[in-house]
Amino acid sequence: MTKEEFKELTRQPVLLDGAVGSNMLKAGMPRGSCTEKWLSEHKDLILALQKAYVEAGTQILYAPTFGANRISLKEHGLGEEVTEINRRLVEYAKEAADGRAYVAGDITTTGKILYFDDDYDDSDAYDNYSEQIQILVDAGVDLIVAETMISFDEATIALDACSNICDLPLICTMSVSSDGGIFYGGNLVNLAADLESLGIDAVGLNCSVAPSHLNSIVENIAARVSIPVVAKPNAGIPEIGPDGNALYNLTPEEFAQQMMDLYDCGARILGGCCGTNPDYIRALSTALDKHIHGMRPISEISSSIH
């Protein structure tokens, strides 16, 4: 996908997918395991989930390469498998998309803190992201998504690495508190324009909190940038159930209605994070169809993008 094609796609609302991790825990993934390695060994489960997202209306499907960078994989003794794991997970996502959705290479924070962890500086971060992004590009992704970023400095390094490697569209979403605060300093409302100046194609937030807590943040970001705003929040506020898994308090229909408020506040690329599943994306697609009078149905756009 070219940047111009992405710009054309986002002239209308675009649907992302929903959660992977919370669904795979329910499917039997051991808590504390390396998610990306486990997924690479359970093709049937991740393929079924991602196919269901496409059927629900997803137009941009995230390859589940989230934490498959060398630094994070090394914590599980898997650093040398970085190429194999990323390639395999992109292959699965492309098979699930089957030409009906674009596939995004997904990158995220390393879990280390720049300028605090002695073994992690700008050069380490740049090399880490460059390696994973190059693998994803070689594997044939359509765009790159840097999501759940919790440090502005680390995000800018990841975005710089991506810009130096490829010309693919680039989305950046930060994980923020209900006032827009970024975990390791700064506020996304104030920094969104700085992220745009780095040449990214869409900016916003994911994970974080419930959609209803984000209206003001999305509205203020939309007023400060000229690129599409992304909203991919959780399915409400979680509580820990007796089995140790997080239980989210919004039904698919409640989630979709709260997402319409975010649409009205300026979000144009919409999806779900923790606690969501294909039912949530389907409800979101239906709500958008009803909410936007005269717009071609999301389901028709999704089925004809390739």
Side-chain angles (χ1 to χ4, degrees), residues 5-279:
E5 288 170 337
F6 181 84
K7 186 175 181 180
E8 185 63 30
L9 177 69
T10 54
R11 292 188 190 282
Q12 297 189 54
V14 172
L15 280 181
L16 304 174
D17 56 14
V20 170
S22 55
N23 288 296
M24 291 298 100
L25 285 170
K26 291 179 181 178
M29 182 175 71
R31 189 173 298 279
S33 63
C34 175
T35 300
E36 292 73 26
K37 176 65 172 178
W38 191 87
L39 292 176
S40 74
E41 296 173 341
H42 293 80
K43 178 180 178 179
D44 56 336
L45 294 177
I46 185 59
L47 200 62
L49 176 65
Q50 294 199 302
K51 283 183 176 180
Y53 279 132
V54 175
E55 290 294 332
T58 289
Q59 296 163 264
I60 297 178
L61 184 68
Y62 286 20
T65 54
F66 183 72
N69 61 78
R70 183 177 291 271
I71 289 175
S72 296
L73 290 176
K74 191 175 180 180
E75 295 296 317
H76 298 276
L78 300 167
E80 297 308 312
E81 296 186 39
V82 59
T83 299
E84 177 186 350
I85 290 174
N86 278 279
R87 284 180 176 173
R88 188 176 297 176
L89 295 178
V90 171
E91 176 186 317
Y92 295 171
K94 291 173 73 173
E95 183 176 341
D98 192 27
R100 300 172 59 193
Y102 293 104
V103 172
D106 189 6
I107 64 175
T108 191
T109 179
T110 62
K112 290 185 175 291
I113 309 173
L114 278 170
Y115 318 127
F116 286 92
D117 287 334
D118 292 337
D119 59 344
Y120 191 54
D121 59 21
D122 291 7
S123 178
D124 297 321
Y126 185 86
D127 290 345
N128 177 74
Y129 287 116
S130 294
E131 178 182 38
Q132 187 184 15
I133 292 165
Q134 187 65 66
I135 296 167
L136 294 171
V137 171
D138 291 344
V141 298
D142 297 303
L143 67 159
I144 300 292
V145 174
E147 68 159 329
T148 325
M149 301 303 292
I150 56 177
S151 159
F152 178 76
D153 291 330
E154 189 179 48
T156 59
I157 292 171
L159 300 178
D160 183 47
C162 188
S163 296
N164 288 334
I165 287 171
C166 68
D167 293 322
L168 295 177
L170 178 57
I171 296 173
C172 180
T173 57
M174 309 288 295
S175 181
V176 300
S177 60
S178 58
D179 65 353
I182 300 170
F183 195 71
Y184 286 118
N187 189 288
L188 181 57
V189 171
N190 299 327
L191 294 172
D194 293 331
L195 290 170
E196 179 182 11
S197 72
L198 297 175
I200 64 175
D201 301 277
V203 66
L205 47 88
N206 77 286
C207 203
S208 306
V209 290
S212 60
H213 295 181
L214 301 172
N215 292 344
S216 177
I217 299 172
V218 167
E219 186 173 29
N220 280 283
I221 292 173
R224 287 165 167 77
V225 300
S226 61
I227 54 178
V229 176
V230 184
K232 201 174 192 283
N234 294 339
I237 306 300
E239 295 182 0
I240 303 302
D243 59 356
N245 289 328
L247 302 174
Y248 291 83
N249 64 348
L250 293 181
T251 67
E253 291 72 24
E254 291 168 340
F255 174 82
Q257 285 309 122
Q258 291 188 17
M259 292 297 289
M260 292 307 92
D261 292 335
L262 291 183
Y263 175 84
D264 289 338
C265 289
R268 290 298 178 267
I269 303 178
L270 307 168
C273 204
C274 302
T276 62
N277 58 43
D279 290 339

